[in-house]
Amino acid sequence: KNVSTTQIRKIYNQIVKSKNSLEIQLIRPHLAYAAARQDNDYQKKIFAFIDDLSTNVNNENLKSFKIIMEAIVSYNKFYGTKK
């Protein structure tokens, strides 16, 4: 089973609203909570991957992180919802 679009977009929306790297770090507990609620390892790894990316975000690469997150959401929407 794949990560639902709603779950990943919820995190994405928080990231888009972030104005600096500190706000990104404050999203990490939400990622941990979302990962803990997942049923299988694949789903947990998606949130762990996003969390790992977020640890390397600083104010200089914040825009790039947001673009990467947009790509992850798009990829999940296109490939994750197919049965």
Side-chain angles (χ1 to χ4, degrees), residues 15 17-27 57-59 62 66:
I15 290 169
K17 291 176 186 175
S18 300
K19 295 179 178 73
N20 57 50
S21 61
L22 177 61
E23 291 180 9
I24 295 295
Q25 299 311 312
L26 295 174
I27 294 170
V57 174
N58 57 45
N59 290 330
L62 179 61
K66 290 179 180 183

Side-chain angles (χ1 to χ4, degrees), residues 20-81:
N20 57 50
S21 61
L22 177 61
E23 291 180 9
I24 295 295
Q25 299 311 312
L26 295 174
I27 294 170
R28 294 187 68 213
H30 298 276
L31 288 166
Y33 178 75
R37 294 195 54 189
Q38 301 307 308
D39 295 333
N40 64 43
D41 285 340
Y42 172 76
Q43 295 168 329
K44 291 179 184 195
K45 286 179 183 178
I46 295 293
F47 287 106
F49 175 69
I50 295 169
D51 182 57
D52 190 41
L53 287 176
S54 72
T55 62
N56 297 310
V57 174
N58 57 45
N59 290 330
E60 290 78 39
N61 64 14
L62 179 61
K63 185 175 179 181
S64 297
F65 177 64
K66 290 179 180 183
I67 292 169
I68 290 170
M69 279 304 304
E70 182 179 0
I72 291 170
V73 171
S74 299
Y75 183 87
N76 184 66
K77 178 68 175 171
F78 186 77
Y79 291 103
T81 57

Side-chain angles (χ1 to χ4, degrees), residues 5-23:
T5 303
T6 303
Q7 291 171 321
I8 204 160
R9 281 201 62 90
K10 191 174 185 180
I11 299 294
Y12 172 70
N13 288 335
Q14 291 178 306
I15 290 169
V16 168
K17 291 176 186 175
S18 300
K19 295 179 178 73
N20 57 50
S21 61
L22 177 61
E23 291 180 9

